[in-house]
Amino acid sequence: MWPTSPAADGNTNTNTNTNTKTRARLSSSSSSSSSLSTSSSFSRSSSSSSSVAVLQTPKRKTMEEVWKDMNLATLANESQPPAAVSGDTRHFFRGMILQDFLASAFKSPPSSAVSSEKPQLPLPPTALSLTSGLCGPFGPSNLPHHTAASSPFSLSTKKQNLEDAPSCNAESDRHHKRMMKNRESAARSRARKQAYTNELELEVAHRAEENAKLKKQNEESGNGCSDSQKGFSSENFISAILKKNTAHLHMLVESLDFQLRDLGF
Amino acid sequence: MSRDPLVVGRVVGDVLDPFRRSASMSVIYNNKEVTNGSELKPSVVAREPRVEIEGYDIQKYYTLVMIDPDAPSPSNPTNREHLLWLVTDIQETTTANYGNEVVSYESPNPTAGIHRIVFVLFKQSIRQTIYAPGWRQNFNTRDFAQYYSLGPPVAAMYFNCQRENGCGGRRYVASGWT
């Protein structure tokens, strides 16, 4: 469902447009990614294109409006106006705006779902590769969280690159690759940390349980309830008594001896 | 989403299929038991560990596989998996040192990135002969288990390992470069 709590991510939200922000939140899933598009469906379900298509339909108009607003209002530049793109799919349309937006100002993480269906667009190649590449790690690694967390980092590094980058394919490919690798590496790092934390938690829980069990056992044996314990202390007691009796007997024998001697035996 | 460290660390997925743990295995390097998912330096793991299998039934035999699925580097695992150690016919109550070492222990020595080093334990239904593969690279634990009808693993654990003077997988020192 649409999260109603404020998305207080450190990740994104340099948007000053509150309208957009609200819409962004509404459209983003409960995952940490607050991407301003219909990637919510994508990150929630792992790359089932049918669900992506279905979920995108109702929001499309909103998103387009959003992008249009942003594009017109905030982008005073060379980007192709939204109206120029016609006769293409909605996806393409949104992608255009998105990428233009990204090309000029890195304000938010790109849409991952959008990129899934347009490999060839006549746009600034770096921006293209930026979004089209996002689908890469989703398939194999299946970690819905890593986009958002890794994207601000990689996006911020790429910001500079995109701004100076010429429309040279080799360079954009390299950037693209680097970004992908970085993303995966960040995901692995997070997984590593999480796995170790989980293991420690499990161990702590296990030891606490054992501890409680042993304490209980200890208590019970302390009261002399367990048979073995009882036996042991009884033995001690008995042997003590035996010793004492033996000593007594000794004394008695000696005194008897003495008395017998007196009597002349 | 499972919280099992093996799943979170993608060992189940990259190397193994999901399985139910039915044996208890401890891996001990230098008298210290390794915690799943912890990090060890190559110097610590230079010699083979003591691998103890809990239990008292000497009729049970186990096979231990130790692999590195992130060879040569985690971002480019072209040699996945690199076989480090293969011991068969290990009995309960004993350790892997008393089994039949089919492939001798190779010290993990990652050069790039942080590698996972995985131990997988299989239960042998019979005392069988297992042959060493021709080479250590590109070993496939799943196929291996299938080939020798070992069934699903009964235990697994892993630790992380990087270069002795590694800096957490970063190519550059973190201070000046992101």
Side-chain angles (χ1 to χ4, degrees), chain B residues 32-43:
Chain B
K32 281 177 75 180
E33 186 175 344
V34 181
T35 306
N36 212 3
S38 57
E39 181 162 330
L40 297 175
K41 290 197 163 176
S43 53

Side-chain angles (χ1 to χ4, degrees), chain A residues 79-102:
Chain A
S79 318
Q80 307 170 31
V85 183
S86 56
D88 283 344
T89 64
R90 297 288 212 170
H91 272 308
F92 183 86
F93 175 54
R94 184 170 48 251
M96 285 285 288
I97 298 183
L98 171 60
Q99 288 173 356
D100 292 342
F101 178 66
L102 287 174

